[in-house]
Amino acid sequence: MLSSLIWVVALCFVVDAWQLLAINLLRGMKIVVLPTIMTAIGYWMFGLPAAWLLMSHYELAGIWGGILVGLAATGVLLLAQLVYELKAASQQNLVTGSTPSAG
């Protein structure tokens, strides 16, 4: 039981780093409202129900599994928005002909 729980928690840390990277890159681009909504959706609509369902079968590992599902859903949503915003910024630079300045 404990060995399987350790693997689930370790995977949670990896997925958490992935979604934190995406949300902080979006914050650096001054995009904060939609990532906040996406985070709430990932945690409350995916993570909480998953934890509730998995808890009955896997006990503590199921709760951590639900956390993992919520983090992963949030990460996917945030990475999708990050890719969209980067493509939009790239297109804007192509249209205006501007290049990012150094420093």
Side-chain angles (χ1 to χ4, degrees):
M1 169 70 182
L2 185 59
S3 64
S4 64
L5 179 62
I6 289 173
W7 283 107
V8 172
V9 173
L11 192 55
C12 279
F13 281 109
V14 172
V15 175
D16 189 36
W18 158 32
Q19 67 98 18
L20 281 174
L21 175 69
I23 199 165
N24 285 319
L25 286 171
L26 288 166
R27 283 181 189 156
M29 296 170 67
K30 307 280 191 261
I31 303 167
V32 294
V33 175
L34 196 54
T36 303
I37 294 168
M38 288 181 172
T39 301
I41 289 170
Y43 292 164
W44 288 95
M45 290 183 68
F46 292 97
L48 188 63
W52 185 262
L53 291 172
L54 292 171
M55 179 181 60
S56 62
H57 297 289
Y58 301 105
E59 298 167 354
L60 185 58
I63 294 172
W64 277 99
I67 292 170
L68 177 64
V69 169
L71 289 171
T74 300
V76 168
L77 291 171
L78 292 172
L79 284 174
Q81 185 183 5
L82 181 62
V83 168
Y84 171 79
E85 296 293 343
L86 289 174
K87 284 184 181 179
S90 175
Q91 289 295 332
Q92 175 126 10
N93 286 341
L94 290 175
V95 170
T96 62
S98 64
T99 58
S101 62

